[in-house]
Amino acid sequence: KHNRLNKSQVQQRQGDADRAIKKEKKNNKTSDSKAVPAHHHHHEHQHPQHHQHQHRHPSHQKSKGEDGKGGGEYYYYHGGVKSSAIDDNVSGCPFLRQRKWPKPTITKSVPLATRGFTHVRSEGTALLLQDIGGGDRIRRVCTRFYEKAFQDQVLKTFMFEDDSAAHHGKRLADWIIEKMGGEGDPWSDSGRLGLRQVSHSKAWYSEKREPRKRGRRFKVDDCRIWMRLMFWAARDEGLAHHKPFFTWYVDFIKHFIRVYERTAPPYAEESAQWSASQENIAKYIKDGRVMKEVIIDFDTQRDPYNDPYYFFDNAFDKE
């Protein structure tokens, strides 16, 4: 039976965090702890040459001040990298609304909770979800991901539905939120429980794929591209600087990516760091949103139907 926080417990925890933030702000008299200087946000669609200079990411703006545990530095985050998918859909999708996210209070790592090979929810991940601002923050991340995936030359061929990045993002985010716990069961309550494998099968057989590739499961290069864009989206939302969350998130993605390709998990850390380099992003965009260094020649990849691990891996997709 999963560990879950009920509504009153979540509200109490959030209230404690809010009160701690207010108390800290009251005690902190330094002016630079209350705001971040205005900063021009560079959109990822700019010409690649604009990225040659190492611009500081908007979420890198630091404010000096007491962190409640004897000093240090913390980040105030105001908006993140511009996203047209968020801006264009916020009126119809209120979960995308920008708000002033709470200052993180969790400073220690939160382990990925599993029983055997199966992921389970825990009190720690439910609190972690609240510490980043709740499920809507995940929905913003996943909307950013699909904005990128729809433009990627490999991932876009798997897309068999034409609704927006916001709708795609909400579906993926609801699944992640349910896995973290603390906000109910948005994925199950939507009626999509058990349909993840069905959706992925449709992606494998998408008519947008080359005829010779249709029916083939996600391979290691597909998984690496997917992970890089997922972590890039979280970084654009400012969550790479919430170290306990980002560390847990890498472990979470690593755990589930093995469902689709057993050789993909070791690439999770590299995938998470890839977007920390503006040079990597600039090269990717200049190359027409193709990760040339990742893509493996089709003829050298294992055929999933002859792969002895195919049915072994497929069993885990029921998580």
Side-chain angles (χ1 to χ4, degrees), residues 7 29 60 63 66-68 77 79 90 98-99 119 126 182 205 234 236 248 258 274 291 299 308:
K7 185 176 181 179
K29 302 299 183 181
H60 289 188
S63 295
E66 294 296 316
D67 62 4
Y77 178 73
V90 69
Q98 173 62 39
R99 58 203 75 167
H119 173 271
Y205 286 92
D236 277 359
W248 173 87
R258 85 196 194 289
W274 175 83
M291 297 186 187
D299 295 324

Side-chain angles (χ1 to χ4, degrees), residues 67-87:
D67 62 4
K69 296 183 180 298
E73 297 178 341
Y74 53 82
Y75 294 85
Y76 279 109
Y77 178 73
H78 294 283
V81 174
K82 184 162 181 66
S83 165
S84 60
I86 289 178
D87 294 343

Side-chain angles (χ1 to χ4, degrees), residues 118 191 221 254:
T118 304
D221 48 355
K254 180 193 294 186

Side-chain angles (χ1 to χ4, degrees), residues 44-48 148-157 225 229 232 274 280-293 295:
E44 70 180 56
H45 296 297
Q46 288 184 322
H47 192 281
K148 301 176 190 300
F150 284 156
Q151 299 174 79
D152 183 85
Q153 296 302 311
V154 172
L155 296 192
K156 72 179 185 180
T157 66
I225 295 168
L229 297 191
W232 182 12
W274 175 83
N280 288 341
I281 294 173
K283 181 180 184 300
Y284 168 65
I285 295 174
K286 184 178 180 179
D287 288 343
R289 294 183 183 268
V290 177
M291 297 186 187
K292 295 180 178 180
E293 73 281 8
I295 295 176

Side-chain angles (χ1 to χ4, degrees), residues 237-307:
E237 184 59 26
L239 289 175
H241 290 291
H242 191 305
K243 292 185 179 179
F245 171 80
F246 201 68
T247 300
W248 173 87
Y249 193 54
V250 172
D251 288 341
F252 177 80
I253 296 298
K254 180 193 294 186
H255 172 85
F256 280 99
I257 202 68
R258 85 196 194 289
V259 170
Y260 307 105
E261 171 54 56
R262 65 185 179 89
T263 64
Y267 292 101
E269 284 80 6
E270 180 275 338
S271 297
Q273 289 301 314
W274 175 83
S275 55
S277 167
Q278 286 294 329
E279 291 182 359
N280 288 341
I281 294 173
K283 181 180 184 300
Y284 168 65
I285 295 174
K286 184 178 180 179
D287 288 343
R289 294 183 183 268
V290 177
M291 297 186 187
K292 295 180 178 180
E293 73 281 8
V294 168
I295 295 176
I296 301 173
D297 182 72
F298 174 81
D299 295 324
T300 67
Q301 294 182 337
R302 291 179 290 117
D303 188 325
Y305 304 112
N306 295 323
D307 179 3

Side-chain angles (χ1 to χ4, degrees), residues 5 40 81 115 126 131 146 232-233 242-243 304 308:
L5 293 178
H40 177 69
V81 174
R115 291 197 187 102
D131 207 53
Y146 276 106
W232 182 12
H242 191 305
K243 292 185 179 179

